[in-house]
Amino acid sequence: MRTRTRSSRMAVLAAVAALTAGVLAGCAQDSEGPSGSATGGGGDGGEGKTTLTVGVFGAFGLKEAGLYDQYMKLHPDIVIKQTSIERNENYYPQLLTHLGSGSGLADIQAVEVNNIAEITATQADKLVDLGKTGGVRQDSFLPWKWSQATNKDGRTIGLGTDIGPQGICYRKDLFAAAGLPTDRASVGALWAGDWRKYLDAGKKFKAKAPKGTAFVDSASGVMAAITGSEANRFYDKDGKVVYKTSPSVRNAWDIAAEFAGAGLTAKLQQFTPAWDQGYANAGFATVSCPAWMLGYIQDKSGAAGKGKWDVAAAPKPSNWGGSFLVVPEAGKHKKEAAELVAWLTAPEQQATLFAKRGSFPSSQAAYALPTVSGAKHEYFDNAPIGEIFSAAAQGVPVQIVGPKDLIIAQNLADVGMLQVDQKGTSSKDGWDAAVKAIDNALDQ
């Protein structure tokens, strides 16, 4: 998990959608944004038509990619109306309230990955088992994505839309100046299989680094990328919070703290003006980047960075982000809604969403489609991003996702590691500060 919610990510996608167009398999971009600000139940669409409502947060992409229009052409008896609340932190509490009351729900609701564990554990009886919907094939989806929305009884209450498989984006010019290889295969080989090799590469970079540059943007970003590559993190299989004793979490913390202690970071906090300026000024050489972040990097680095950025495989497959679609049992058109969800998350539609919005498919069956397999990014020296991110996605482990993952991750990063990185706080004191903040938050 990262310290930014899906709403932040969707704002990024909306801001750089025009940049994404033309570099992902050459498809055109529909710039129309989402409408509305609240959810509501489906009803009669007039003239015998059925209206299906879809409640989402942010610029979710389904409408913008033209998928609703396409479905309505294929099904003239269906009318689709989307409503959107800009930020997930406002959307999600309302969704829980509506699920609790059984009213005010859309026929289809979006759920962010940071919330899916809580929804699956506590609200499954109020949601349709989409695994039983006609045309839905479990093997079309990545195993770890399918498992995130499947409860202990085997009911799959959500179908995945997108994911955030990560690579390492790097500046070839800065690598060359520091005497490191620049082609993506050799760069990936520097740290293949081990995050500590990434640390070692950073030390080599620092020895000959151009003045005023750092190897990586932030220690928190490194820590989050590492935890995103681990199966066991903040919770155990029984749902108990175990981050304090988790070897995976402690390893991620220690490596990130070493990045800070060795002076390998630019001491930045992600998604801040200073971070944006770091891109513009070529202030750091690498950053852990999911597929959806490429447009953001292009936007902030500008024309001067074209061809200087490239993408290599991360030390281990890791994921940041993703969402699901669910169908409330309280809906008036559950069958039609489930059929729409099945169609929207089918491989062909996920490939279209990737081409037009940069949202990487959670359907592994989409990876063989030319739109995905042949995708290259011109700005990143024509990096074969379809191949790179498909390989990453298929290597992510099935992870234990807990209901308060986001709270734990946010405090580890923004309370603990940020102090270590920016203030020079000791690793122990930073950890203790994060633990105290997390304990307080979980007790509320």
Side-chain angles (χ1 to χ4, degrees):
M1 301 298 161
R2 283 301 179 98
T3 59
R4 303 297 160 196
T5 63
R6 163 80 182 221
S7 58
S8 298
R9 182 168 76 81
M10 295 312 293
V12 170
L13 288 175
V16 301
L19 295 172
T20 304
V23 297
L24 295 178
C27 293
Q29 169 70 40
D30 179 357
S31 60
E32 181 182 4
S35 61
S37 59
T39 60
D44 183 6
E47 299 181 359
K49 295 186 177 183
T50 298
T51 297
L52 297 178
T53 55
V54 183
V56 303
F57 45 90
F60 203 80
L62 300 173
K63 177 180 179 180
E64 295 85 345
L67 293 179
Y68 297 156
D69 288 340
Q70 184 179 349
Y71 191 81
M72 287 187 287
K73 289 180 180 178
L74 295 172
H75 301 82
D77 58 329
I78 297 292
V79 174
I80 302 172
K81 294 184 177 181
Q82 176 181 285
T83 58
S84 177
I85 294 175
E86 181 178 356
R87 300 182 65 83
N88 184 53
E89 48 262 53
N90 297 325
Y91 167 89
Y92 182 60
Q94 290 189 30
L95 175 59
L96 288 179
T97 298
H98 292 318
L99 285 170
S101 66
S103 63
L105 291 158
D107 293 300
I108 297 169
Q109 298 277 176
V111 179
E112 206 266 347
V113 65
N114 287 311
N115 305 126
I116 195 63
E118 184 174 28
I119 288 289
T120 302
T122 66
Q123 306 292 329
D125 60 330
K126 298 171 183 176
L127 299 167
V128 172
D129 184 355
L130 295 173
K132 296 180 179 179
T133 300
V136 173
R137 292 182 53 188
Q138 179 177 344
D139 60 1
S140 291
F141 292 86
L142 291 160
W144 58 267
K145 183 71 172 182
W146 182 273
S147 71
Q148 288 178 335
T150 302
N151 70 2
K152 294 180 179 180
D153 297 327
R155 299 183 71 251
T156 301
I157 53 85
L159 296 183
T161 53
D162 63 312
I163 54 174
Q166 297 194 77
I168 299 293
C169 292
Y170 66 98
R171 294 270 314 207
K172 294 191 300 181
D173 55 335
L174 299 185
F175 267 48
L180 296 178
T182 59
D183 67 282
R184 61 185 71 96
S186 298
V187 169
L190 288 174
W191 48 65
D194 190 342
W195 287 101
R196 284 201 168 273
K197 290 182 180 179
Y198 187 41
L199 175 67
D200 293 339
K203 293 177 180 178
K204 292 178 181 177
F205 175 86
K206 184 182 178 182
K208 298 182 179 179
K211 185 178 180 180
T213 65
F215 181 65
V216 70
D217 62 325
S218 69
S220 292
V222 171
M223 178 176 63
I226 298 174
T227 56
S229 68
E230 299 289 348
N232 303 304
R233 303 170 302 163
F234 309 135
Y235 286 76
D236 66 15
K237 61 182 178 58
D238 297 319
K240 180 182 178 182
V241 177
V242 295
Y243 77 92
K244 294 178 188 178
T245 58
S246 168
S248 297
V249 173
R250 194 70 214 201
N251 180 60
W253 176 275
D254 289 344
I255 293 176
E258 286 189 52
F259 266 86
L264 304 182
T265 83
K267 304 181 186 300
L268 299 171
Q269 185 175 20
Q270 293 183 332
F271 297 102
T272 63
W275 192 58
D276 294 348
Q277 196 62 40
Y279 282 115
N281 296 337
F284 49 87
T286 72
V287 61
S288 299
C289 57
W292 52 261
M293 193 188 283
L294 300 186
Y296 189 91
I297 294 173
Q298 178 179 349
D299 181 44
K300 301 307 177 183
S301 295
K306 183 178 181 180
K308 295 178 180 178
W309 280 100
D310 208 330
V311 189
K316 291 184 178 181
S318 180
N319 185 73
W320 172 11
S323 290
F324 299 80
L325 296 176
V326 303
V327 175
E329 287 280 5
K332 296 180 180 179
H333 307 291
K334 292 186 291 184
K335 179 178 180 295
E336 294 86 349
E339 290 172 350
L340 174 56
V341 169
W343 186 86
L344 289 170
T345 58
E348 294 77 11
Q349 281 64 254
Q350 290 205 28
T352 296
L353 191 62
F354 170 60
K356 294 190 176 184
R357 301 293 296 176
S359 298
F360 204 80
S362 64
S363 170
Q364 60 185 351
Y367 300 161
L369 300 176
T371 303
V372 180
S373 64
K376 296 183 178 181
H377 204 303
E378 182 183 4
Y379 187 86
F380 289 79
D381 197 23
N382 288 315
I385 59 173
E387 295 178 10
I388 292 171
F389 292 116
S390 293
Q394 291 171 308
V396 174
V398 176
Q399 298 172 324
I400 298 173
V401 180
K404 304 301 180 183
D405 272 4
L406 181 59
I407 290 175
I408 296 171
Q410 282 181 325
N411 284 286
L412 284 173
D414 294 341
V415 174
M417 190 53 66
L418 193 64
Q419 292 184 23
V420 176
D421 200 13
Q422 293 188 349
K423 298 180 180 180
T425 302
S426 71
S427 176
K428 180 183 183 302
D429 288 346
W431 176 266
D432 290 343
V435 168
K436 182 178 180 180
I438 292 167
D439 287 347
N440 289 337
L442 296 184
D443 286 341
Q444 293 177 1

